[in-house]
Amino acid sequence: MMSDHVDGPRSIGDPPADVTDLFAFISPENPVRTVLAMCVFPSAGESAIFSNVIDHAIAVRRVTVAGVGEAAKFQPAHEEIRFSFRFEVLERDAAGNVIQRGTCTLPDGRELSLIVNDEKGASTPEGDVRVFAGLRSDPFYLAVIASDLRRVPNLLQHDNVLCVVVEFDTHRLLNPAAGSLFGAIAETVPARSPAGNVSHPVARIDWVGKPEQTNIRLTNPGLRGAEDIRDLWNQQKPFEISKELQPLFLQRLKDSFADWDMRDGKADWTPEALSANANIFLDDFLLFDVAKPITDESHLEIEKSTLYGRPYQTGGGRTIDANVIDILLTWLVNHDRKFLQGGATQATKPGMKVFPYFAMPNTDLQSVDDCVELAAAADAVWSVIGQFNLDWHPLVAQVRLTGAGTGQLRRIETRDGGEVVERLEEVDNAKRLYRYTLVAGIPACHYTGTIKVTPRGDCCVAEWSVQYQADNQPDIVVRARVATLLKTGLGSLKSRLEVRHDPNH
């Protein structure tokens, strides 16, 4: 469960179209302006770019409270206020730098040109709208295992996403005098193409309203054997869920909420309240009121108050630093009886109070290190692991070498069917050390590995260290893969060279 990250087979197969999150809040640097933002491309690497065949859109409709208590209902208007982004193929600017340009089409038809990753963004001549698009630190954090509510560190630590941000004059674009409550959705829609003889274009790839509709509410891991209906949901038209499919989705929500209620072994919801809750979440859009304060804690307050049958006090919405997972799970599991704090209290980086609000992308190199002490002479150990062919490693099925000395390439076929290509950058037999870099095969960049052997009395220590940045895969996944590589390799030397572990490592 990762907000709207990887929320169905279709979006998993097309990461640039995967909408991960949606935000709506009042600008902390200018309270007369509203900020809407969406993120795509989970675990985006430094080379990630926006798709040039997809429209990225944030749509807003005015909403009225049409019922309270067990009849709680939010009714969206038909008129839509839409901000749509279209991005171009890469090009080079006058200085030779590779850039990506984009265009944001505003609700009134005006077009605003921008350059991806331009920190200043782009503004209309009138100054009423400012937009940004680029790579930023992922503002979402997940620090609980759904199956048993176990607290863990943030599973998205060090991850990045692509973000689009729209900041605008609230009164000019939303006219809150006609009603200050709104619902927002974000979606990715394929560029229009003519229908074929035996097919028709996909309506949309992904969309999100409230966080976790797909990965927690519709695809509850506690519902054993339940079919995955996330792609079916993502094909629905936001604000207008198919009447034919509403019963299917509603029943799934009811079953899911009943299961979440019992996840702590205690029933906190009546059947009637669970049904009302399901009705509220079936109409999936992010509610925000621009006339009331939107804070890090106000997420879902509008829905909760309306279900309780009382006027809401905040602007709801979702700020960049809102703890949406713990807020949602506390509501579902124990009806806000006791706050369920996960194992992290913030994302990798907190949001900023100034435009473009999302923190700079994570660029720090990550490190994985391992070592083992061997009851053997350093030269004897180096004669085994100092060879670039890596044939001593139990995970290696075959290695093909190209070239010799510095610059030599090794093409590794792993026993699980994978392939990794690495280049020798430095070898120093006197110091019993060699350094290599990754060419391909691991979802990482700036990847450098070092293997060395150091004498220690009659024994020696074999060390293996890797530095990297995850690239289009979660850091936690890349780290686990690298750690397994190092641990398995060094661990295999115990039997080969009669080793014993260094108690200090």
Side-chain angles (χ1 to χ4, degrees), residues 150-392:
R150 176 164 36 98
R151 291 158 51 98
V152 294
N154 178 23
L155 298 176
L156 279 76
Q157 194 75 6
H158 310 304
D159 281 9
N160 297 317
V161 286
L162 293 175
C163 299
V164 297
V165 180
V166 183
E167 180 204 275
F168 54 86
D169 183 295
T170 304
H171 287 273
R172 176 165 178 174
L173 274 76
L174 296 184
N175 185 25
S180 58
L181 179 62
F182 295 87
I185 65 94
E187 64 180 355
T188 47
V189 180
R192 291 297 173 228
S193 58
N197 294 328
V198 293
S199 65
H200 59 84
V202 174
R204 63 188 43 77
I205 301 174
D206 195 15
W207 68 279
V208 60
K210 301 178 184 70
E212 292 297 0
Q213 177 76 334
T214 45
N215 286 339
I216 281 187
R217 298 193 287 273
L218 289 175
T219 309
N220 182 343
L223 300 180
R224 304 298 181 189
E227 291 188 16
D228 188 342
I229 59 174
R230 293 176 297 175
D231 270 358
L232 185 61
W233 173 264
N234 286 332
Q235 287 295 292
Q236 301 306 298
K237 184 177 181 181
F239 299 108
E240 301 175 20
I241 305 303
S242 163
K243 292 188 181 301
E244 291 76 16
L245 292 175
Q246 283 186 22
L248 169 67
F249 295 128
L250 189 58
Q251 188 60 53
R252 175 61 64 85
L253 289 173
K254 290 178 180 178
D255 294 342
S256 178
F257 290 175
D259 178 78
W260 280 114
D261 181 29
M262 294 304 299
R263 197 60 64 87
D264 61 354
K266 178 178 173 57
D268 291 282
W269 291 83
T270 66
E272 295 77 16
L274 279 175
S275 181
N277 207 27
N279 286 328
I280 284 291
F281 281 99
L282 178 66
D283 292 328
D284 185 33
F285 34 82
L286 181 63
L287 287 168
F288 66 102
D289 191 321
V290 294
K292 295 181 180 294
I294 297 177
T295 70
D296 294 344
E297 289 76 38
S298 63
H299 178 62
L300 294 184
E301 190 272 331
I302 296 175
E303 291 91 336
K304 294 177 184 180
S305 293
T306 305
L307 283 164
Y308 283 132
R310 64 194 185 208
Y312 59 87
Q313 302 299 310
T314 74
R318 179 184 178 185
T319 63
I320 290 175
D321 293 329
N323 183 2
V324 294
I325 283 289
D326 296 342
I327 289 173
L328 175 62
L329 289 182
T330 299
W331 176 248
L332 295 180
V333 173
N334 64 46
H335 207 166
D336 284 353
R337 172 171 44 86
K338 178 183 178 182
F339 192 73
L340 299 177
Q341 177 67 62
T345 58
Q346 68 173 41
T348 308
K349 297 179 180 180
M352 305 188 301
K353 301 303 181 184
V354 296
F355 185 90
Y357 306 107
F358 292 88
M360 293 289 289
N362 299 294
T363 58
D364 293 342
L365 289 176
Q366 303 303 308
S367 298
V368 179
D369 307 280
D370 207 342
C371 66
V372 66
E373 184 174 335
L374 315 180
D379 286 340
V381 173
W382 181 246
S383 70
V384 174
I385 71 171
Q387 305 304 308
F388 193 54
N389 59 24
L390 211 66
D391 62 0
W392 55 272

